[in-house]
Amino acid sequence: QVHLQESGPGLVKPSETLSLTCTVSGVSVNSAAYYWSWIRQPPGKGLEWIGHIFYDGRTKLNPSLESRVSFSVDTSINQFSLTLRSVTAADTAVYYCVRDEDGLAAFDYWGQGALVTVSS
Amino acid sequence: DILLTQSPSSLSASVGDRVTITCRTSQSVDKYLYWYQQKVGQAPKLLIYVASSLHSGVSSRFRGSGYGTDFTLTISNLQPEDFATYFCQQSFNSPRTFGQGTKVDLK
């Protein structure tokens, strides 16, 4: 059973850094069959793909965020992480970690989501 | 970025109805179009991949069709558990992009 779980602070101050970790179970992040994505959804709004990371650390980022975003992966503990710098209120959203199946190019398993609010 | 436009933005339907949602893309995405269902307070779930393939465990009441720039999600015999928001998404080009969503609620 594939399971993804986001963790991290629910409140971040403006101009500071948002950090989230996704713990994966039921599948290894050290697999060439999958990418590991982050997707966010502001309250009441649509979905935005932030980017993905491969097991070897290669990343692809959404140009709209790439100047502020970085990803990392730790295959030894089956986790991957998101860092978003210089946040503003516009970064308030539910952040999902998602398995990105390479062959299907589909987001096939999602975490439950973590609400991060940017506020002083 | 490829823009995805869904229509309608919302619709009201009754149990047992057949519902059709359309997704139009700003340029061809070949067959790389996906449909997701999202219920309130939950993460999206994959329904359809590469335009017309049913994801594992998804009811056969859901059907996807289309190619290029015009795609359709059809839900037959609408059930109470189908009232939700539906999103289309393309994986043809990076960045991956989503439609704005179509909310299906009870008439």
Side-chain angles (χ1 to χ4, degrees), chain A residues 75-114:
Chain A
T75 57
S76 68
I77 52 174
N78 226 35
Q79 290 180 342
F80 63 104
S81 298
L82 161 71
T83 299
L84 179 64
R85 296 173 292 277
S86 304
V87 297
T88 70
D91 296 310
T92 293
V94 176
Y95 287 77
Y96 296 101
C97 59
V98 186
R99 191 177 84 168
D100 184 349
E101 211 278 359
D102 183 35
L104 301 179
F107 301 123
D108 62 350
Y109 285 93
W110 297 60
Q112 67 183 27

Side-chain angles (χ1 to χ4, degrees), chain A residues 39 41 45-49 52 60 62-63 96 100 104-108 110-112, chain B residues 1 32 34 36 38 42-46 49-50 55 87 89 91 94-96 98 100:
Chain A
I39 294 170
Q41 184 173 34
K45 295 189 178 180
L47 297 155
E48 180 180 32
W49 179 71
H52 67 214
K60 182 160 278 189
N62 192 323
Y96 296 101
D100 184 349
L104 301 179
F107 301 123
D108 62 350
W110 297 60
Q112 67 183 27
Chain B
D1 298 5
Y32 296 100
Y34 305 79
Y36 299 85
Q38 185 178 33
Q42 297 184 18
K45 292 181 180 178
L46 177 65
Y49 61 96
V50 293
H55 185 52
F87 293 94
Q89 176 256 320
S91 290
S94 185
R96 315 277 189 89
F98 291 85
Q100 82 279 15

Side-chain angles (χ1 to χ4, degrees), chain B residues 27 38 50 52 55 78 92 99:
Chain B
Q27 64 186 77
Q38 185 178 33
V50 293
S52 60
H55 185 52
L78 198 69
F92 182 74

Side-chain angles (χ1 to χ4, degrees), chain B residues 13-95:
Chain B
S14 300
V15 172
D17 283 354
R18 186 169 83 167
V19 164
T20 299
I21 299 168
T22 296
C23 179
R24 178 163 288 174
T25 62
S26 61
Q27 64 186 77
S28 176
V29 298
D30 198 287
K31 62 181 179 179
Y32 296 100
L33 194 284
Y34 305 79
W35 291 97
Y36 299 85
Q37 177 194 66
Q38 185 178 33
K39 298 181 180 179
V40 173
Q42 297 184 18
K45 292 181 180 178
L46 177 65
L47 298 174
I48 302 287
Y49 61 96
V50 293
S52 60
S53 295
L54 200 64
H55 185 52
S56 175
V58 175
S59 171
S60 58
R61 295 182 291 99
F62 292 91
R63 188 173 74 87
S65 63
Y67 183 87
T69 61
D70 291 289
F71 300 87
T72 299
L73 174 70
T74 301
I75 313 170
S76 302
N77 187 21
L78 198 69
Q79 294 299 298
E81 61 268 28
D82 301 335
F83 292 100
T85 299
Y86 294 85
F87 293 94
C88 57
Q89 176 256 320
Q90 65 82 22
S91 290
F92 182 74
N93 265 359
S94 185

Side-chain angles (χ1 to χ4, degrees), chain A residues 10-18 68 84-92 116-120:
Chain A
L11 181 64
V12 180
K13 290 182 167 55
S15 80
E16 296 192 345
T17 296
L18 180 161
R68 298 193 291 131
L84 179 64
R85 296 173 292 277
S86 304
V87 297
T88 70
D91 296 310
T92 293
V116 180
T117 301
V118 178
S119 174
S120 54

